[in-house]
Amino acid sequence: MSFHEVRLPARLAFGSTGGVERRTEVVTLASGFERRSTPWAHGRRRYLIGAGVRSLDDAAALVAFFEARRGLADRPWSPAHLTLEAGEGGDLILRWVRRARLGGDGWDGEPPLSEEQETYRVEILDGEAVVRTVEVTSPFLTWTSAQQTDDFPGGVPDPVTFRVAQGSAVFGWGATTTRSLWR
């Protein structure tokens, strides 16, 4: 994912204020102790930019600037920990772990699903060329021996290269993870 090296137009930025805002909640427990929690994983950004807006065109430029960057916040992260294992009858099973933008920084179990439906796009590569694309609804793909023969008539290379992306109803396909794995 590339960084947006685009600046807010100076005529709109002049006189603006803002930055990162953090919120901490303090709860008094029955024991009398306090528990502090930060409900946001990252600070929220809050800006007051109205001072530089002088016309409807300025307002439209400001909205377009922020809307263009909003999409990247919704982009699914790339799956992690790709592994390849032998299945029955020569099948190969590719597994991975989903990553979550929201609430996924815990260590206990699988990250929560940030989407209504879990979807992934798996591409099997021969060099840079995609030989098979499959969409699945669970964090694994069984690549049957018959599919392997169809994809690589001369024999499956070792290592095999896979590319996996998580899908989002809001954004589309997210960042990919590409790995070459030995059979």
Side-chain angles (χ1 to χ4, degrees), residues 82-99:
L82 274 67
T83 60
L84 187 64
E85 58 191 57
E88 293 183 21
D91 294 353
L92 293 174
I93 302 168
L94 176 67
R95 297 183 187 278
W96 57 88
V97 175
R98 110 177 132 247
R99 292 174 58 203

Side-chain angles (χ1 to χ4, degrees), residues 21 37 56 63-64 69 75-76 84 86 89 91-94 107 120-121 131 137 145 153 156-157 169 178:
E21 174 183 278
S37 66
L56 289 176
V63 168
R69 277 128 203 99
R75 182 181 190 181
L84 187 64
D91 294 353
L92 293 174
I93 302 168
L94 176 67
W107 291 94
Y120 302 93
R121 182 183 61 206
V131 295
T137 57
S145 60
V156 177
T178 304

Side-chain angles (χ1 to χ4, degrees), residues 11-183:
R11 71 179 192 285
L12 300 178
F14 182 75
S16 63
T17 60
V20 177
E21 174 183 278
R22 303 210 183 271
R23 187 177 92 192
T24 302
E25 294 176 348
V26 179
V27 178
T28 304
L29 304 175
S31 63
F33 290 101
E34 291 180 348
R35 178 179 171 99
R36 297 175 186 270
S37 66
T38 305
W40 300 331
H42 302 286
R44 299 290 192 235
R45 277 75 175 154
R46 182 181 302 259
Y47 300 95
L48 178 59
I49 302 181
V53 177
R54 302 279 186 231
S55 68
L56 289 176
D57 289 339
D58 287 349
L62 183 65
V63 168
F65 177 84
F66 283 105
E67 287 297 321
R69 277 128 203 99
R70 169 79 176 116
L72 292 179
D74 292 332
R75 182 181 190 181
W77 289 356
S78 59
H81 308 296
L82 274 67
T83 60
L84 187 64
E85 58 191 57
E88 293 183 21
D91 294 353
L92 293 174
I93 302 168
L94 176 67
R95 297 183 187 278
W96 57 88
V97 175
R98 110 177 132 247
R99 292 174 58 203
R101 292 183 321 275
L102 302 172
D105 52 352
W107 291 94
D108 50 343
E110 271 216 22
L113 183 60
S114 301
E115 304 294 331
E116 288 183 24
Q117 182 178 353
E118 187 171 15
T119 57
Y120 302 93
R121 182 183 61 206
V122 181
E123 296 175 331
I124 301 169
L125 306 172
D126 184 7
E128 294 294 317
V130 176
V131 295
R132 180 176 296 272
T133 302
V134 182
E135 291 183 17
V136 295
T137 57
S138 56
F140 71 90
L141 168 71
T142 301
W143 189 30
T144 66
S145 60
Q147 291 171 330
Q148 295 171 42
T149 303
D150 289 345
D151 297 342
F152 295 98
V156 177
D158 210 4
V160 184
T161 304
F162 298 93
R163 185 165 45 217
V164 183
Q166 185 170 327
S168 164
V170 174
F171 186 87
W173 295 112
T176 60
T177 298
T178 304
R179 293 285 181 274
S180 294
L181 302 169
W182 280 265
R183 295 182 284 137

